[in-house]
């Protein structure tokens, strides 16, 4: 059975990067997108090419503010080291993000095969079943919500932390399908797009953990025209979930339907519910690393180093494992209001802890993935 490992790379004007491919692997580049469509400027094209180790151009992506992402119908399999090369252009502030994956080839897979992205759901590669490790919360029926022209089902499974590890994981398996009106109500059209994202959390899961993870999806996977509605949808679904603080691993399964604006009525949005509940029972991709990033670190505000930790134990729960912050009197760099209360967080990995209000960081996640103070990235570079 083939093993898949996903990756993403950001390129600025004139930048290049190389990706190695081992002897038993195939590499694929499946999507290119502008991180911020407005940064390209009106009428400005941004070009990125994929070159084989021999220098032969294998793919070319042309993006603009009017066409912020490209997903080719079929992509060539690359069996040697290849490069991603962005041409120098005047859109110096525009960042192009390329997505792809490497697979370990089964013995019968031809290295010259092309991957048909128009029917990717029929490939054995994405039909490998992902088996949840945890216990589903709230019973077998998924939570449901709707927002605008979107509707979705969410199921959450939790694996209890037996070793009380400091590092926790939130695994988000998110797939969405577009729908249109039909004589029977609504019908799915096109292929389902599936994404797997792993978020690394420090300490116990807090009410903000799912909110932080959800706000990150806006720039990572949401279609730009529906990003606000999908963000509202995630908030509605996540508000119904109470994550166990002791959970070492939380698995979030989300199936979303997007109805064309011209077909959108409350009755048709509600009709998507039955189709989505059936989709929620379909298998997920397995052994798929996907995008991976750290979540902010929950913090507390203290007056001095000798102050005892504040006990925030709820009934039946142990105190949350949070680091102390000795920052009494300091202001949040985003809203410029005083840092106080329990909803505080630090950007992970900064040389000096940069602390913000949790709600402020949630808004920042919607726009970008770098610390507002030092530009430290949240991304974990995948190991190929």
């Amino acid at each position: 059975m083939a093993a898949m490992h996903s990756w993403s790379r950001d390129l600025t004007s004139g930048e290049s990067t190389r990706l190695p491919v081992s002897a038993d692997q195939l590499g694929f580049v499946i999507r290119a997108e502008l991180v911020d469509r407005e940064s390209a400027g009106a009428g400005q094209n941004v070009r990125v090419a994929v070159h084989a180790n021999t220098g032969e151009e294998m793919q070319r992506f042309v993006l603009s503010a009017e066409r912020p992402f490209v997903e080719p119908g079929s992509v060539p399999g690359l069996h040697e080291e290849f490069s991603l090369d962005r041409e120098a252009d005047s859109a110096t502030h525009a960042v192009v993000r390329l997505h792809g994956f490497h697979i370990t080839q089964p013995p019968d897979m031809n290295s010259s095969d092309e991957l048909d992205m128009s029917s990717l759901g029929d490939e054995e590669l994405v039909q490998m079943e992902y088996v949840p490790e945890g216990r589903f919360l709230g019973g077998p029926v998924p939570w449901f919500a709707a927002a605008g022209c979107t509707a979705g089902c969410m199921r959450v499974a939790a694996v209890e932390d037996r070793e009380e590890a400091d590092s926790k994981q939130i695994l988000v398996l998110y797939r969405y399908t577009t729908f249109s009106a039909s004589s029977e109500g609504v019908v799915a059209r096109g292929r389902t797009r599936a994404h797997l994202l792993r978020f690394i959390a420090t300490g116990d899961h807090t009410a903000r953990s799912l909110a932080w993870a959800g706000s990150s999806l806006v720039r990572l996977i949401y279609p730009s025209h529906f990003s606000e509605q999908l963000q509202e949808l995630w908030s509605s679904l996540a508000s119904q979930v109470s994550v166990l603080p002791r959970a070492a691993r939380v698995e979030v399964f989300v199936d979303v339907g997007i109805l064309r604006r011209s077909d959108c009525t409350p009755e048709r949005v509600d009709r998507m519910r039955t189709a989505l509940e059936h989709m929620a029972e379909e298998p997920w991709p397995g052994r798929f690393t996907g995008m991976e990033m750290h979540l902010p670190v929950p913090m507390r505000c203290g007056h001095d180093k000798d102050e005892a930790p504040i006990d925030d134990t709820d009934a039946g729960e142990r105190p949350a494992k949070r680091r102390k912050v000795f920052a009494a009197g300091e202001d949040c760099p985003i809203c410029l209001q005083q840092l106080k209360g329990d909803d505080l967080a630090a950007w992970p990995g900064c040389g000096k802890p940069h602390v913000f209000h949790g709600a402020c960081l949630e808004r920042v996640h919607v726009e970008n993935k770098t610390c507002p103070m030092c530009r430290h990235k949240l991304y974990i570079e995948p190991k190929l």
Side-chain angles (χ1 to χ4, degrees):
M1 183 175 288
M4 178 189 289
H5 184 93
S6 174
W7 53 263
S8 64
R9 294 290 187 276
D10 290 356
L11 295 179
T12 56
S13 177
E15 188 177 7
S16 297
T17 187
R18 302 192 69 83
L19 286 87
V21 180
S22 62
D24 61 345
Q25 286 184 324
L26 271 179
F28 297 94
V29 185
I30 61 172
R31 177 184 172 98
E33 62 179 338
L34 287 172
V35 174
D36 181 0
R37 62 188 300 174
E38 303 301 329
S39 62
Q44 173 69 52
N45 287 332
V46 178
R47 296 177 173 83
V48 179
V50 179
H51 290 103
N53 199 31
T54 60
E56 178 185 1
E57 183 177 300
M58 305 299 293
Q59 293 171 264
R60 174 169 286 269
F61 300 92
V62 181
L63 303 104
S64 64
E66 296 74 29
R67 193 187 187 201
F69 66 89
V70 176
E71 292 182 338
S74 63
V75 297
L78 301 160
H79 54 90
E80 292 181 341
E81 182 182 61
F82 61 94
S83 65
L84 309 173
D85 305 297
R86 177 174 165 185
E87 294 181 6
D89 51 57
S90 59
T92 55
H93 298 292
V95 176
V96 175
R97 179 165 300 150
L98 294 108
H99 301 278
F101 56 83
H102 284 46
I103 62 173
T104 302
Q105 303 177 66
D108 58 346
M109 184 172 184
N110 191 321
S111 63
S112 63
D113 286 346
E114 283 197 348
L115 184 63
D116 184 3
M117 299 300 291
S118 62
S119 59
L120 191 58
D122 296 330
E123 297 288 333
E124 179 186 6
L125 180 64
V126 296
Q127 288 298 322
M128 297 182 293
E129 185 174 1
Y130 179 90
V131 180
E133 297 180 13
R135 174 179 60 85
F136 279 109
L137 308 178
V141 179
W143 290 286
F144 177 81
C149 299
T150 70
C153 291
M154 175 183 285
R155 294 184 301 158
V156 178
V159 180
E160 188 173 352
D161 183 7
R162 293 185 175 86
E163 300 180 357
E164 297 190 3
D166 287 335
S167 181
K168 311 296 180 73
Q169 294 184 6
I170 297 178
L171 192 68
V172 177
L173 298 102
Y174 192 108
R175 55 188 174 186
Y176 63 87
T177 306
T178 54
F179 286 79
S180 60
S182 72
S183 57
E184 299 179 355
V186 294
V187 62
R189 61 183 181 88
R191 66 181 179 89
T192 298
R193 302 179 188 275
H195 302 273
L196 189 149
L197 305 97
R198 191 188 313 276
F199 298 94
I200 310 300
T202 301
D204 284 334
H205 295 291
T206 67
R208 282 266 176 225
S209 296
L210 283 181
W212 283 330
S215 62
S216 300
L217 303 181
V218 176
R219 304 293 276 182
L220 294 175
I221 65 173
Y222 285 168
S224 59
H225 296 307
F226 293 94
S227 60
E228 291 185 5
Q229 295 180 35
L230 291 172
Q231 187 179 3
E232 180 184 348
L233 178 65
W234 176 277
S235 298
S236 298
L237 290 168
S239 66
Q240 304 176 57
V241 181
S242 179
V243 176
L244 301 175
R246 292 174 182 246
R249 179 185 177 97
V250 176
E251 300 165 319
V252 185
F253 299 84
V254 187
D255 281 276
V256 169
I258 302 175
L259 191 62
R260 291 195 308 187
R261 295 182 188 275
S262 58
D263 295 334
C264 188
T265 65
E267 294 77 13
R268 288 170 179 161
V269 170
D270 190 61
R271 285 289 188 93
M272 286 194 291
R273 179 171 188 166
T274 302
L276 293 171
E277 288 177 345
H278 282 102
M279 289 181 179
E281 299 175 358
E282 296 177 359
W284 279 86
R287 301 179 67 185
F288 187 93
T289 306
M291 288 172 273
E292 195 170 60
M293 63 189 296
H294 282 291
L295 289 177
V297 181
M299 306 287 269
R300 281 195 182 281
C301 181
H303 292 281
D304 57 61
K305 297 185 178 181
D306 298 322
E307 184 181 17
I310 300 172
D311 186 359
D312 65 350
T313 309
D314 293 329
E317 294 182 358
R318 61 185 172 89
K321 292 163 60 178
R322 291 187 169 194
R323 288 165 50 188
K324 272 300 280 295
V325 178
F326 308 108
E330 293 188 11
D331 294 337
C332 172
I334 297 175
C335 68
L336 303 182
Q337 299 299 309
Q338 187 176 8
L339 288 167
K340 59 183 179 179
D342 188 41
D343 188 19
L344 304 175
W347 201 271
C350 299
K352 175 185 177 182
H354 294 139
V355 185
F356 311 85
H357 290 120
C360 293
L361 277 189
E362 185 177 345
R363 293 194 296 272
V364 168
H365 273 191
V366 175
E367 298 299 327
N368 58 56
K369 301 296 172 290
T370 57
C371 173
M373 300 295 290
C374 67
R375 316 309 295 173
H376 181 82
K377 287 187 177 182
L378 285 175
Y379 297 114
I380 301 173
E381 287 294 331
K383 296 180 180 179
L384 299 176

